Each structure stands twice: as C-alpha cells, then as structure tokens.
Amino acid sequence: MAVFTAFFVGGGNYLTVVLLPLLLILLLFLFAPSRRNTLYLLIPLAVFGITAVINMKAPGTQVRGGSGFGFDIHNVVRTIGRSVDKGLTDVRLMYVNNPVIVLCTIIIALFLASQMIEKQYDFSFRCPLLFVIMTSGSYLAMYAPTYYAGVGAPFGRMSNLISFYFELSLILNIVYVTGYVTKKWNDKWKERCWKAAEKWKIYKIYILLAVTVLILLHPEWYRTTAMARTVNYLASGQAKEFGEAMDRRYEILLNEDLKEVELDPVPSAGPLFNYDIVEDSNEWPNTAVAEFFNKDSVRLKGGE
C-alpha cells in the first residue's frame, strides 16, 4: 500500500510531494533502529523519487512553470523564509480567531493522554524535541511548493489540507511527548497521574458538556466553521439559488448548436469550492470548460 501511495503521490500535487518523503524518512528514523523490517520503507521512498522526477520533468510541467522556471538556490532560500513566516502567522491567526479549534484540540489531547498514562509501551518515545521539530518542519514545508513556483501563499483546498495536517501533527506531538514523559516518570509522579486519569474518567462527560455549552454561548466562535456556514447556506436558500443557476448553465453548455458561449454569473457558492470561469475566454478555467463541453469558447458575461 505504501508503494501504491508513493506512486500516485509522486506523480500528483506538489503539496504532498514535499510532505510524503518527510513522513517516510521520519518513520525510518523512529523505527529502523529497533525494527529492521522498517527498512522496507526504502522501497516506496525510491518509487516516490522516480515518479516525482518524472512528474517534475514532464513537458506539461515545463509549460505551466514557464521557460525560466527551474532550480534556483536564491529562490530556495526565499521560499524557506516565506514558508516559515506564513506558517507561523497562520498558526497565530488560527488560534487567536478560532477558540473552537483550541478547545477541540485540548479535548482530543486529554482523551489520548489519559489513555496513555495507565499503559506501558515497548516503544521508547526517544528524542521528543527532534520529533516536534520534524513534524513542525513538515507542516512548514507544505507552504513551499506554491511559493517556489511564484504563485504565492497556498489557497483554497491547499490551505484546508495544511490546516488539517497542522491539527493532526499537534495532536501527535502531544501524544509523543506524553509517551516520553510517562516513560521517564518516577513512581511518585506515576501514582499522581494515575489518580488524575481516574478523575478524568469520572468528569470527562461534564467537561465535554461544559465545552459544548461554552461554544454555543459564543456564536462568533463557531459561525465561521464549515458546519455553521453550510447550515446557514442551506437554510437561507442560497444553495437552492446556486443550484438553479448552475442548472441553467448546464442547459446552455449541453446545447450542441452553441459553440461560442457567454454565461451569466452565478450567485455565491458559499462554502462550496467553485473555481468559476472569468470574462477572458483564454483563461484556463474557461478553456477547460470549453474543451469539456466541446465549445469553441466560453466566457463570463461582463458588467456594464
């Protein structure tokens, strides 16, 4: 499965092209010293390397990047600096503006940590600082592809993927550090933590209810979440308006007698991902729609 994953990721989006080898190297670092069969991960790493090189050398990539696009050490340094700055800025904004994320992350971490305290692990959880640095570095590395290509900061679905990965890496870091601490604790501290874990089992339901009530009492905290925006989009009738507008578009696009098509703008797509066409028929969203529906040109109707 790792080989198949490496094959498809290496030939796919550059966002995950950077992340996958870092994760494979991390697994090799953590497990290879104690489990020699972990060295088999070198096989998917090699497959990934081959498919990634083919991906980067493909003619279409050269066309998209432009004739001047290539390896530039100055661009590498600039990319690293901009990725670190943007990544840290997004983390600050994510937690300052989204208390719901903070509370949910803490609750998940508490559930996992409470389960770990009472158990013994053969895994040593060694080098926690290095683990945190590597997971944080892989998060920041996900910003690099778009900056290096000159596109700027990641946007849309790329931003969502990066945010999800950061949340996952944060929880993993908490779990890893908890595992390291439990291995190092003496008997006195272990006893105290076991008592705390027992109390957590009794009161966790009340903590969950308190957090839920706290979030519901502050609508400004959750109104920007995907769930709240989706419910509002459906309840307000905007989703119906958007669907009807898209139906009218498809009726025109499926008309085989029309070869040069002008389409009306659609209402707000709300939380939906909608990379819409523009007024210039030569832009790639327009040419893609024209090719898909077998049209000579497709454009958005202008204003005045």
Side-chain angles (χ1 to χ4, degrees), residues 227-253:
M227 179 178 178
R229 289 187 295 121
T230 301
V231 170
N232 180 65
Y233 188 60
L234 291 168
S236 66
Q238 291 178 293
K240 183 179 179 181
E241 293 178 5
F242 179 79
E244 292 172 347
M246 291 301 292
D247 287 340
R248 291 192 293 270
R249 275 194 177 186
Y250 281 122
E251 185 178 351
I252 296 172
L253 290 168

Side-chain angles (χ1 to χ4, degrees), residues 167-179:
E167 290 299 316
L168 177 61
S169 65
L170 183 60
I171 293 171
L172 287 175
N173 286 334
I174 294 173
V175 168
Y176 194 93
V177 172
T178 301

